[in-house]
Amino acid sequence: MTRQCRLVVWTLGLAGLGAAAAQDVVLRHEDSDGCGAAEVVLENRLVRVDVLTGEPPPVPSQRWRDRLLRRPPPEARPRYGTRFVGPGWIGQVTFLPTGRRWFAETSGGRENWQGIPEEFDEAVRVLEITPGVWHCLKIGVGLCQGVDRCFRGSLKLIDPGVWETIEEDLGAGGRAVTFRQTVPARDGYGYRYEKRLILRPGESRLLVERTLTNIGEKPWDTTWYTHAFWGQDGRGGYDDRCWATVPLRGATVPGLGEAAIDTRICRIGKPPQAGYWGAVDGDILAGGWYACGTDDGAEVFLTALAETPAFYRMWTCPQTYSLEAFRLISLAPGAVDHWVETLACGAGLERLDAHDGNAGYQAVVSSDGAPGASAAVSLRVLPFREVAEGVLRLQFRGADGRQRREDHPIRAAGPAAAVEVPLASLSGVLPVHLEARLEVAGAASDALAMAEAARMVLAATAAVPAVRLPASGGGAGAVILGPYERRADDGWVPTPAAGFLSEYLAAAGFKPIFVRDRDGLPAEPAAATALVACVGLRALPATVWRQLEDHVRAGGGLVVCGPITPTAFEGTDLLPLREVSSSVRVGAAPRDCTREFLGAWSRRYQLEPLEEHPVLSGLPFLPTGRQDIGVLQILEPTPAGRAILRYQTPAGLQPAVSTPALVLAAYGAGRVAVLASPVDWGMPSNWCLWNRLGEYHRQFFQQLGLWAAESALPGGATAAGQ
């Protein structure tokens, strides 16, 4: 039987009696998603949070004749399907000082493409009722019926259990709402799930407490993650001014003996016909948080857990993108799992380097890069609550191992008023390990939200390399050749590999166009062609090979990526290859949202640099950078070819491969590069991250294109860059 009820709890304390009404959090009910039913809105003067209640329908009754004939009961359809947890679904978060709405807002059919749904993806199988058909627990949905492993698409709701909604006045103007579901034990399996959302006055920080209890007699496992649909560009989507980051372990910092923390912002690209999808394993994560932001107003949104996730699933599509931190849950009978998530937003940071639950931090280090030069150091602090009087407590540890402490007063700061704290004492002592914590008197929810002290590793700006690539393609043309199909408008439909290259080269300053490979180079391109890139190489007419030879001989660049037909280059000496002898292809991708994502990188091939080269400058490789290549070919270079990358095989993966992955050569006045894998790394074609949302994948192909085309760009090529 299903029951939905609402309880209102008043817990007024003395601290709340004098709170001004304008400061209080308002909890009200309105139809915020247009579904015809009232939703919950939590709002103070900094943020508005729209929460979908997802009130489940009653279980349909079954006629006596159907029961007698043992026909399956009618389906009880939840409002938001049998995938996500409906009640408590955060539909939108708005930062009121700027009006920034952070999430996508679209819906269609029974799916809602909006806000921050959450899912317990691994269903708990309870009882096999017929061969291959199971009763199962889908946490947050209820008792369902599914097939085989009871993946989301096969589920039919049988009983949603009992849902309760509890509204609380927390005192001092704070409010909370709890959504509680109880599915009584059946065949030894049952659970209780609570999701409590807390908002206090003067804070842009929403705390989400979750508690999951096994109330059955048998143990079970599941996975949990939030499936945020980001859309912060002002139109419910994203553009090239939007970014995201996840903190990753970097290389060891010389002189400090400690790994750097990579918080590089990742631009969210929209390659035509392509997108990103894949896993980031927990062993290279440097914290339990991630951040999204936009250059417009230097706004940022923090999502933080207290512990490091087991892994992330990352993906993009034309409408939205998501960074999904997974927790693995195993509960014995009577056991309880409790975790707190912090969602906080504000303006004033160009990126996020660390947080302590109370504030976000951006380290600013500037120098001319000369050896031994001192650096100007400061710390930008974005409190997630209004601060009249606070103290920023800092602790440093330098290369000499000595600990130092500093306290800095923080006044008149807040989510819409970040402050910058100069750290003059650090200008001559980098690198240092820095820990920061903002303490604010009277912060009622700090005990729940407070993470460990924000941790950063500050180092001087890297020295400028002696050999540099051109900064930009300067508007030069880039022809991307491929086996395209014609569009209805008489253009060409790019392959996913061509889509990636098109976006990357455009961002590097080229003007890319798609041309079918067997048609050859255009006679009168819109811009002088400096670069030709082949996304795969098949047999080409001799006239096309002569065009390519003339192009490179005159100073142009050529980049050839797999797959390469072994006989495709027999009629030319342009490529630095003797032969392409065989192909290697890994198995299928891990099943979505399962523990098979753990260690998935070890079942795919990686890249290993053989020497320093401008094409590889600034790129991370194992152990911190993982390319996860699914398809490769065995190449034998000519004596003129120079391999600067080779494949590396993780332990246990067969066959073991260590052959050249990237071969470079000069040809006349120009340059040629051959990559032995597809641009999108192969099977599955969209498993392509390196390392979060394609930021190093993008940098690699941009640098490869700039190197190949350098002789045809202003300034010409440097001999050391050959």
Side-chain angles (χ1 to χ4, degrees):
M1 180 177 180
T2 303
R3 177 168 59 88
Q4 179 88 9
C5 63
R6 178 184 299 154
L7 304 178
V8 180
V9 180
W10 298 91
T11 57
L12 284 172
L14 293 177
L17 295 179
Q23 302 288 330
D24 291 352
V25 175
V26 175
L27 190 158
R28 63 178 182 272
H29 300 269
E30 63 181 63
D31 183 9
S32 60
D33 67 348
C35 68
E39 311 297 330
V40 173
V41 176
L42 287 168
E43 184 175 351
N44 59 23
R45 66 184 184 186
L46 291 169
V47 291
R48 168 182 167 136
V49 183
D50 294 274
V51 186
L52 313 183
T53 58
E55 183 174 334
V59 178
S61 60
Q62 190 177 25
R63 296 179 301 176
W64 67 268
R65 180 181 299 175
D66 293 332
R67 291 196 300 271
L68 182 64
L69 296 176
R70 296 187 177 182
R71 290 173 177 166
E75 182 178 359
R77 295 186 177 182
R79 175 171 293 169
Y80 302 125
T82 55
R83 179 177 181 183
F84 298 128
V85 179
W89 179 332
I90 297 173
Q92 186 58 265
V93 177
T94 306
F95 184 54
L96 297 177
T98 64
R100 177 76 57 194
R101 298 169 70 85
W102 280 95
F103 298 97
E105 295 178 282
T106 60
S107 61
R110 292 170 57 191
E111 292 289 340
N112 271 32
W113 193 268
Q114 69 177 105
I116 319 175
E118 63 180 301
E119 180 179 14
F120 293 85
D121 193 83
E122 290 184 354
V124 179
R125 297 197 299 184
V126 173
L127 179 67
E128 189 174 24
I129 55 176
T130 61
V133 179
W134 290 78
H135 282 169
C136 64
L137 294 181
K138 177 72 168 176
I139 309 298
V141 176
L143 181 68
C144 296
Q145 180 176 303
V147 178
D148 297 327
R149 59 180 285 260
C150 298
F151 195 61
R152 64 178 78 107
S154 72
L155 297 183
K156 180 175 68 174
L157 181 62
I158 297 174
D159 184 1
V162 177
W163 276 101
E164 301 170 273
T165 303
I166 304 167
E167 298 174 5
E168 301 174 73
D169 188 317
L170 302 176
R175 301 297 297 272
V177 58
T178 299
F179 299 89
R180 177 189 296 155
Q181 182 192 31
T182 302
V183 176
R186 183 182 303 189
D187 298 308
Y189 293 88
Y191 70 87
R192 179 177 297 110
Y193 177 56
E194 294 185 4
K195 180 178 182 180
R196 183 173 182 243
L197 294 87
I198 302 167
L199 185 63
R200 295 187 181 272
E203 295 191 6
S204 64
R205 174 179 61 186
L206 177 74
L207 301 180
V208 185
E209 279 190 281
R210 294 177 173 90
T211 305
L212 180 61
T213 306
N214 182 350
I215 62 174
E217 297 83 39
K218 296 182 179 179
W220 43 261
D221 303 323
T222 188
T223 57
W224 170 90
Y225 71 103
T226 56
H227 198 296
F229 296 121
W230 291 95
Q232 68 264 37
D233 69 353
R235 300 177 298 278
Y238 65 95
D239 56 25
D240 59 4
R241 297 181 64 78
C242 298
W243 57 265
T245 192
V246 174
L248 301 181
R249 299 181 187 276
T252 300
V253 177
L256 194 63
E258 181 175 346
I261 301 175
D262 179 358
T263 55
R264 170 176 174 164
I265 63 172
C266 312
R267 297 290 173 187
I268 316 299
K270 289 185 180 180
Q273 303 293 119
Y276 300 98
W277 183 87
V280 177
D281 226 331
D283 65 339
I284 63 171
L285 297 175
W289 61 271
Y290 74 88
C292 296
T294 173
D295 295 343
D296 296 329
E299 295 191 53
V300 65
F301 193 111
L302 167 73
T303 302
L305 295 169
E307 74 275 18
T308 300
F311 59 86
Y312 275 89
R313 182 182 67 174
M314 321 280 276
W315 58 266
T316 68
C317 69
Q319 297 82 11
T320 185
Y321 69 97
S322 196
L323 300 83
E324 299 161 354
F326 276 71
R327 299 183 74 251
L328 308 183
I329 299 173
S330 297
L331 287 181
V336 178
D337 191 12
H338 178 264
W339 65 103
V340 178
E341 184 182 29
T342 299
L343 307 176
C345 54
L349 300 185
E350 296 169 350
R351 69 172 190 274
L352 190 68
D353 289 325
H355 82 97
D356 63 4
N358 251 346
Y361 301 92
Q362 177 189 345
V364 181
V365 180
S366 58
S367 70
D368 59 10
S374 61
V377 183
S378 62
L379 191 64
R380 292 179 187 164
V381 183
L382 175 63
F384 298 132
R385 58 169 288 122
E386 294 170 330
V387 178
E389 294 284 344
V391 178
L392 178 64
R393 303 197 186 278
L394 303 178
Q395 181 172 302
F396 312 102
R397 177 173 51 80
D400 58 4
R402 295 173 55 191
Q403 299 276 359
R404 299 175 51 200
R405 298 177 185 273
E406 290 183 6
D407 289 347
H408 295 264
I410 301 294
R411 299 185 179 93
V419 296
E420 186 156 351
V421 178
L423 302 179
S425 61
L426 297 185
S427 62
V429 297
L430 297 182
V432 297
H433 171 102
L434 168 65
E435 293 185 0
R437 184 183 292 280
L438 177 62
E439 295 182 0
V440 183
S445 57
D446 284 355
L448 190 61
M450 187 71 80
E452 297 179 353
R455 185 170 61 89
M456 292 159 273
V457 176
L458 309 186
T461 306
V464 177
V467 178
R468 289 187 292 172
L469 295 173
S472 167
V479 175
I480 303 176
L481 299 179
Y484 309 131
E485 299 293 333
R486 190 172 292 279
R487 287 198 312 246
D489 63 359
D490 206 34
W492 299 108
V493 179
T495 62
F500 281 120
L501 272 189
S502 173
E503 187 195 56
Y504 295 170
L505 294 177
F510 291 95
K511 292 183 177 179
I513 61 172
F514 301 116
V515 176
R516 192 173 65 170
D517 50 7
R518 289 176 176 167
D519 292 343
L521 302 184
E524 296 182 1
T529 300
L531 177 67
V532 176
C534 299
V535 286
L537 183 65
R538 58 180 178 171
L540 300 177
T543 54
V544 176
W545 280 117
R546 301 295 88 77
Q547 285 182 316
L548 294 175
E549 291 165 0
D550 291 344
H551 163 75
V552 180
R553 194 178 290 115
L558 174 65
V559 174
V560 175
C561 303
I564 300 171
T565 301
T567 58
F569 54 93
E570 288 181 337
T572 181
D573 65 347
L574 179 57
L575 303 189
L577 300 179
R578 278 182 170 162
E579 68 172 343
V580 176
S581 59
S582 61
S583 298
V584 177
R585 185 180 300 269
V586 301
R591 286 177 290 186
D592 197 17
C593 298
T594 68
R595 296 164 199 250
E596 293 176 12
F597 273 60
L598 291 169
W601 70 272
S602 66
R603 298 183 290 277
R604 306 177 77 79
Y605 294 94
Q606 311 300 324
L607 295 176
E608 178 184 1
L610 296 174
E611 61 178 78
E612 292 186 1
H613 194 278
V615 168
L616 310 181
S617 178
L619 297 173
F621 296 94
L622 282 179
T624 58
R626 295 168 178 174
Q627 295 75 44
D628 297 352
I629 293 172
V631 172
L632 60 89
Q633 291 178 283
I634 308 301
L635 306 183
E636 182 181 347
T638 64
R642 175 183 176 187
I644 67 167
L645 282 175
R646 71 178 178 185
Y647 292 107
Q648 184 170 351
T649 306
L653 181 61
Q654 293 294 329
V657 178
S658 59
T659 55
L662 179 61
V663 178
L664 309 181
Y667 187 88
R671 294 171 176 172
V672 179
V674 179
L675 180 67
S677 286
V679 173
D680 55 6
W681 295 157
M683 289 186 61
S685 61
N686 58 351
W687 185 288
C688 184
L689 290 177
W690 194 21
N691 263 4
R692 286 156 288 210
L693 287 166
E695 69 275 11
Y696 294 118
H697 188 255
R698 170 191 296 244
Q699 182 179 338
F700 170 68
F701 282 102
Q702 288 177 335
Q703 292 177 177
L704 184 60
L706 289 168
W707 173 85
E710 186 173 5
S711 296
L713 300 178
T718 57
Q722 295 289 332

